[in-house]
Amino acid sequence: MAIYLGNLDVTQIENRLGVKLSEDDRKKLEELRINHTDEIHNAHGWHCYDIPFVIACGCYEVALMWRDILTPHATAMKGTAQISGDWDGAPKPDEAYRRKMEGAKA
């Protein structure tokens, strides 16, 4: 049986990783934060556990958002960030690439 504890916000995640995100990124992430873990599945949002340190995303797009926001900070991070998914199915590889490219244009 796995036990997950905690409900970290963006500021607490920044402190844990030793990074500072842009105000725009912070705002985007805070708007998508879900406080109750039972609401994550297939949701357009995320929840961060403290123990173990995991950012649980309810959809593929939010997982990509976290990855894209954290990647530029990877070498400066104290420790690692684990991003997990809690959604039914997964996009096909070419669909995932299309979604990523659409996001890059925005």
Side-chain angles (χ1 to χ4, degrees):
M1 177 172 87
I3 297 175
Y4 291 77
L5 302 171
N7 183 16
L8 303 182
D9 62 23
V10 174
T11 301
Q12 292 169 315
I13 294 169
E14 287 176 309
N15 291 338
R16 174 98 176 233
L17 294 174
V19 299
K20 181 71 174 161
L21 305 179
S22 72
E23 282 303 314
D24 185 49
D25 287 341
R26 292 179 96 256
K27 184 177 182 204
K28 282 190 284 190
L29 293 171
E30 284 293 351
E31 289 173 357
L32 298 176
R33 183 171 174 240
I34 297 174
N35 283 311
H36 303 287
T37 61
D38 57 344
E39 297 172 6
I40 292 293
H41 184 72
N42 288 329
H44 189 77
W46 61 273
H47 179 92
C48 187
Y49 298 99
D50 186 28
I51 302 170
F53 182 50
V54 176
I55 301 168
C57 300
C59 69
Y60 184 73
E61 290 80 11
V62 174
L64 285 180
M65 179 186 300
W66 266 107
R67 180 204 63 191
D68 294 343
I69 288 172
L70 291 178
T71 296
H73 303 279
T75 57
M77 284 184 193
K78 298 185 300 188
T80 59
Q82 180 179 345
I83 301 170
S84 70
D86 186 8
W87 62 84
D88 295 330
K92 297 176 185 168
D94 53 342
E95 176 68 8
Y97 179 77
R98 182 190 64 76
R99 290 180 186 183
K100 181 180 178 188
M101 296 312 294
E102 285 177 357
K105 294 177 187 174

